[in-house]
Amino acid sequence: MRLAADGTLLLSPSDLSAHLACPHLTNLNLQVQRGELERPHVDDTHGDLIRRKGDEHEAAYLARLEAAGRTIVRIPTYDDEGFDADEARRLTEEAVRAGAADVIYQPYLSDGTWRGFADFLERMPDGSYEVVDTKLARSAKPAHVLQL
């Protein structure tokens, strides 16, 4: 959840999952975005481990795609210096319209209110793209499907 400069509330699929798990969390996050509360710092070694392992799993999947010779377009993310959401959205849209890449890595998808990064868009035989998420879980959970 983020507040844009014009006051528009920007939501992600993770915000929806969090709301379904705990509606009060949505209120707390909104208060943080408005500057009414400070987000508490919590040492979460287990969460940090899960995030690190998830990042490693995603990187390994990307490496397999590269080793297979798939053409990959990389979209800038929040981690990149000077990240610009409008530019990331534009680059994603251009890559999809061009249809030349086998894979679009970290595509930025937005409709003005809902926004976020998919792990991958992979081109299908008919030329369309399908969202691919690299979760560590062995089976899909309802929250994972909702996030997609």
Side-chain angles (χ1 to χ4, degrees):
M1 175 182 300
R2 294 178 194 257
L3 276 178
D6 67 1
T8 302
L9 185 61
L10 303 174
L11 301 167
S12 71
S14 297
D15 295 323
L16 178 58
S17 292
H19 179 76
L20 291 174
C22 177
H24 182 60
L25 180 58
T26 300
N27 291 325
L28 293 173
N29 285 335
L30 187 55
Q31 288 176 321
V32 167
Q33 289 301 308
R34 290 179 175 154
E36 299 165 0
L37 281 179
E38 189 172 317
R39 184 175 309 279
H41 174 74
V42 178
D43 284 330
D44 184 6
T45 54
H46 183 259
D48 292 342
L49 174 65
I50 297 298
R51 274 185 290 282
R52 191 177 79 246
K53 290 296 185 184
D55 290 346
E56 290 170 3
H57 178 67
E58 183 177 302
Y61 185 78
L62 178 61
R64 285 193 303 274
L65 293 172
E66 290 171 330
R70 309 278 305 269
T71 57
I72 299 170
V73 169
R74 295 170 186 252
I75 304 298
T77 68
Y78 295 126
D79 295 335
D80 295 313
E81 189 174 324
F83 171 76
D84 179 329
D86 291 331
E87 178 71 1
R89 186 183 70 241
R90 185 186 67 74
L91 291 170
T92 300
E93 289 173 2
E94 283 181 3
V96 169
R97 283 193 180 101
D102 295 322
V103 178
I104 304 170
Y105 178 56
Q106 294 293 298
Y108 186 79
L109 307 172
S110 174
D111 73 353
T113 299
W114 292 95
R115 50 78 188 145
F117 291 94
D119 290 345
F120 300 89
L121 290 180
E122 293 188 22
R123 193 175 64 217
M124 299 291 101
D126 68 358
S128 66
Y129 283 91
E130 182 175 287
V131 175
V132 175
D133 196 83
T134 53
K135 297 282 188 215
L136 282 173
R138 293 179 190 258
S139 62
K141 295 177 174 57
H144 299 162
V145 175
L146 178 66
Q147 197 172 29
L148 286 173

